[in-house]
Amino acid sequence: MAVFPSTAAAQAAGRTGRRTRKATGRGPGRTQRSAYLFIAPIALGFLVFYLWPLLQTFYFSFTSFGVFGGNTWVGGENYQRVVQDVTVGRALLNTLVYMAMGLVTLPVAIVLADLMNRPGLRGVSVYRALYFLPFITLPTAVGLVWNWLYNGDFGMVNEALSVIGVDGRYWVSDPSTAVYAIGTVMVWSQVGYYLIIFIAGIKAIPRDYYEAAQLDGAGPVRRFFRITLPLLSPSIFFASVICVINSLQQFDLIYVMMSPVNPALGSTQSIVTLFYKWAFEENSQGGAAALAFLLMLLIAGLTYLQFRFQKRWVHYA
Amino acid sequence: MPEPTPRAGRPARAGRVDPGTLATHAVLSLGALVMLFPFVWQLLTAFKTMPESVRVPPTFLPQNWDTAAFSEVFTALPFAEMLGNSALNTLGRTLGQLVFCSLAAYAFARMQFRGKNVLFAVFLSVLMVPAQLLILPQHEIIQRLGLLNSVPALFLPGMFSAFGTFLLRQFFMALPKELEEAARIDGAGPLRIFWSIMLPLVRPALAALAVITAMWSWNDLLWPLVVNTDPTTMPISAGLASLEGQFVTNYPVLMAGSLVASLPMLILYVLLQRHFVQGIALSGSKG
């Protein structure tokens, strides 16, 4: 999965990178040998559990699993199925809805981080701890709690809506609302994560900029758009890359919130829940493998596009 | 990350309250309420009886704090065993990552050896691959090893992390070179230098890695669903999902179960909040 070292770590890396390395030349045989020994355990683990499986999945994607074991070569049949199957198109569409809702989390988190950055504001660490709480909570538990809140007959969401005179709904079993209901829970559980990234980003902006802008008569809104947003753009870029990667792999909440008999099941299925269904419930490993490659292409493609277009809006100081 | 002492809720000196500050608190408190309410409702529902939970209009506080739902959770499923499995899974992955990642990270950061760049590129590629792409063969390997429905199945692949290696490598790279040289002149071997001199210096990074690895391990659902289908070997994440199948709309039981299942991580969060925040700020996504 993707990783982006923090700016602090990256700076530290840059610092040491400038130094020349030569002292290790002493006794190269011994150092080399121990270096290999240091790397051996994890290299073995990667080989067995990551690299070999990657090749195998690639092979699987061109085969069909027999009921009694053994796989037969079927060429591009699995990929053809992936491209033609309407449920894949549906899952792709749902996944893009989750991604769009995930991206909506970012502006919310930016505004919250900006509010928490108000000079002299008290209780910031309490707010931060509370907003972050859902992110560390077991997703299975989060799904169950929200199913209860969304319950059509006794749920608190309908209860709260009735106060302002809005009619209740069966949020997670109504095909027209279920995907948004689940997406909302994703937003709820992730906003604290992005908040932490943006708080760190805003803290790194020199206070003088704000003071200078204030002296020049810039109001809070103007300061937000002219100072905070541009100087936060590296953090926003980082967050949006992470957000796209994570949203495209949604599984836990959908799996937990949607029972197998839910009428809205089809309209909430993501690529990964479909993958799970094909691979482990319908015994269609070849199709699942092809689907996984489609997902990887999607992730790689969207990540590439983001890196490609970052020059247009990301300002590195 | 030090913060000014939090004194939430106390209004800033009554009389001359800045309206901007007040509005900020209003917005942030409203948001905090949205964040917190599901937890509150979970707790309150867990202590209600089934009929009380569906009463119209609903009661807010439970009438007599009934604990039957909790005992039902533990009798319907081997919940205690599942908690134990989760703990072992978390421990196995976290210890594995700390040991394997720090060794490799140190070698990549501080040692010269042939093929370093190629190996590093291979590690980088592991990082880019989404987990779903590996699950089918990983499942097959666990099956071949005869480990399906066992605790090691839960933590085996997760002990090796490219993310952890990269994270620690950055920290090792930032350490001054003189430390190692002095130790080498004193005749210390590579393992000794690593273990007693360098490793203690990256302790904050190790703590951050440990905490976020623990969180991802405890919360992981997809992999356990795939390898351990027997209730006695399931971790709590998967166990809780199967509780849902049994008590479809018995929300007091489901809330009691979800409370018990998420409590260990919540306690860890309260105790080690600083490391959580640091770990999250350092990491991008799950690893």
Side-chain angles (χ1 to χ4, degrees), chain A residues 1-6 9-10 12-13 15-17 19-24 26 30-32 34-36 38-39 41-43 45-46 48-54 56-57 60 65 112 115-116 118 121-141 144-149 151 153-154 156 159 188 191 193 196-197 200 203 238 242 245-246 249 251-252 255-259 272 275-276 279-280 285 288-289 292-293 295-296 299, chain B residues 1 3 6-8 18 20-21 24-25 27-29 31-32 34-39 41-42 45 53-54 56 58 100-101 103-104 106-114 119 122-123 126-142 156-157 160-163 165 170 173-177 181 184-185 189-191 194 215-216 218-219 221-222 225-226 237 240-241 244 251 254-255 258 261-262 265-266 269 273 276-277 280-286:
Chain A
M1 303 244 183
V3 61
F4 294 83
S6 77
R15 234 182 293 132
T16 41
R19 276 189 208 124
T20 49
R21 243 182 247 114
K22 66 171 177 13
T24 30
R26 198 181 311 157
R30 192 182 176 197
T31 328
Q32 284 229 12
S34 39
Y36 291 130
F38 276 30
I39 290 176
I42 204 165
F46 281 162
V48 174
F49 289 111
Y50 293 84
L51 298 173
W52 173 241
L54 188 61
Q56 256 193 315
T57 302
F60 284 172
F65 268 47
L112 287 170
L115 287 176
M116 289 187 192
R118 193 185 175 85
L121 191 77
R122 288 178 168 189
V124 171
S125 59
V126 174
Y127 284 129
R128 198 183 55 187
L130 287 178
Y131 281 86
F132 192 52
L133 197 58
F135 185 73
I136 57 112
T137 307
L138 185 71
T140 325
L144 287 180
V145 171
W146 275 91
N147 263 0
W148 175 217
L149 293 169
N151 185 289
D153 301 310
F154 314 104
M156 278 299 117
E159 199 69 32
W188 176 82
V191 69
Y193 165 66
I196 282 183
I197 292 179
K203 264 193 189 148
F238 164 78
I242 295 293
I245 292 173
N246 284 350
Q249 299 184 58
F251 172 81
D252 299 10
Y255 179 85
V256 174
M257 293 182 74
M258 285 286 137
S259 85
V272 179
F275 164 84
Y276 176 79
F280 300 103
Q285 283 91 334
F293 271 100
L295 177 68
M296 193 185 81
I299 292 175
Chain B
M1 272 163 231
E3 286 289 337
R7 269 184 242 156
D18 167 27
T21 306
T24 306
H25 274 301
V27 173
L28 290 177
S29 313
V34 174
M35 292 292 130
L36 203 57
F37 180 77
F39 292 98
W41 198 237
Q42 173 194 32
T45 306
S53 72
V54 294
V56 183
F100 298 141
C101 296
L103 278 170
Y106 177 71
F108 276 126
R110 317 288 299 194
M111 293 166 134
Q112 289 303 323
F113 53 93
R114 201 173 305 173
L119 263 176
V122 173
F123 273 47
V126 170
L127 205 62
M128 300 296 177
V129 177
Q132 296 78 24
L133 220 48
L134 309 169
I135 279 187
L136 276 165
Q138 282 177 342
H139 170 262
E140 211 179 84
I141 290 165
I142 294 291
L156 250 178
F160 309 98
S161 159
F163 162 68
T165 310
Q170 306 285 33
M173 284 172 77
L175 299 177
K177 207 154 192 57
E181 275 161 16
R184 206 171 291 132
I185 289 163
L191 192 63
F194 164 74
M215 179 183 96
W216 291 124
W218 188 274
N219 292 350
L221 177 67
L222 182 54
L225 280 179
V226 168
S237 55
L240 188 61
E244 190 190 12
Y251 281 105
L254 294 181
M255 292 305 104
S258 60
S262 49
M265 207 35 65
L266 294 182
Y269 173 56
Q273 211 207 106
F276 267 94
V277 171
I280 291 304
L282 288 171
S283 77
S285 98
K286 46 182 115 179

Side-chain angles (χ1 to χ4, degrees), chain B residues 1-2 12 22 24 34 45 59 65 73 78 137 163 171 185 188 205 218 228 245 249 263 275 277 279 281:
Chain B
M1 272 163 231
L22 205 65
T24 306
V34 174
T45 306
T59 54
W65 296 86
V73 165
F163 162 68
F171 281 83
I185 289 163
W218 188 274
N228 289 5
T249 52
L263 206 58
H275 295 295
V277 171

Side-chain angles (χ1 to χ4, degrees), chain B residues 115-220:
Chain B
K116 181 166 154 176
N117 292 337
V118 176
L119 263 176
F120 198 65
V122 173
F123 273 47
L124 200 84
S125 69
V126 170
L127 205 62
M128 300 296 177
V129 177
Q132 296 78 24
L133 220 48
L134 309 169
I135 279 187
L136 276 165
Q138 282 177 342
H139 170 262
E140 211 179 84
I141 290 165
I142 294 291
Q143 189 173 26
R144 289 235 184 104
L145 293 171
L147 288 174
L148 285 183
N149 286 312
S150 74
V151 171
L154 294 174
F155 64 68
L156 250 178
M159 294 170 87
F160 309 98
S161 159
F163 162 68
T165 310
F166 281 84
L167 180 72
L168 297 180
R169 174 178 163 270
Q170 306 285 33
F171 281 83
F172 277 124
M173 284 172 77
L175 299 177
K177 207 154 192 57
E178 294 73 26
L179 287 164
E180 277 159 312
E181 275 161 16
R184 206 171 291 132
I185 289 163
D186 288 345
L191 192 63
R192 210 185 131 72
I193 296 175
F194 164 74
W195 181 257
S196 23
I197 296 170
M198 304 307 270
L199 204 55
L201 292 173
V202 294
R203 213 177 283 152
L206 292 174
L209 177 65
V211 164
I212 53 169
T213 305
M215 179 183 96
W216 291 124
S217 315
W218 188 274
N219 292 350
D220 191 17

Side-chain angles (χ1 to χ4, degrees), chain A residues 198-213:
Chain A
F198 293 140
I199 288 177
I202 288 182
K203 264 193 189 148
I205 301 174
R207 280 266 166 214
D208 322 1
Y209 292 7
Y210 291 101
E211 280 155 20

Side-chain angles (χ1 to χ4, degrees), chain A residues 104-253:
Chain A
V104 171
T105 320
L106 302 185
V108 175
I110 294 169
V111 170
L112 287 170
D114 187 57
L115 287 176
M116 289 187 192
N117 191 41
R118 193 185 175 85
L121 191 77
R122 288 178 168 189
V124 171
S125 59
V126 174
Y127 284 129
R128 198 183 55 187
L130 287 178
Y131 281 86
F132 192 52
L133 197 58
F135 185 73
I136 57 112
T137 307
L138 185 71
T140 325
V142 167
L144 287 180
V145 171
W146 275 91
N147 263 0
W148 175 217
L149 293 169
Y150 278 138
N151 185 289
D153 301 310
F154 314 104
M156 278 299 117
V157 170
N158 282 350
E159 199 69 32
L161 288 176
S162 75
V163 173
I164 53 168
V166 177
D167 280 344
R169 273 171 174 278
Y170 291 84
W171 298 99
V172 283
S173 51
D174 183 338
S176 64
T177 55
V179 68
Y180 305 105
I182 295 176
T184 304
V185 182
M186 288 169 188
V187 172
W188 176 82
S189 57
Q190 283 171 14
V191 69
Y193 165 66
Y194 298 113
L195 183 64
I196 282 183
I197 292 179
F198 293 140
I199 288 177
I202 288 182
K203 264 193 189 148
I205 301 174
R207 280 266 166 214
D208 322 1
Y209 292 7
Y210 291 101
E211 280 155 20
Q214 202 158 11
L215 285 179
D216 288 347
V221 175
R222 211 180 152 85
R223 289 198 298 264
F224 176 76
F225 283 104
R226 292 296 170 86
I227 300 175
T228 309
L229 270 191
L231 290 175
L232 195 59
S233 58
S235 299
I236 301 173
F237 171 66
F238 164 78
S240 78
V241 169
I242 295 293
C243 181
V244 167
I245 292 173
N246 284 350
S247 331
L248 292 176
Q249 299 184 58
Q250 286 296 338
F251 172 81
D252 299 10
L253 282 175

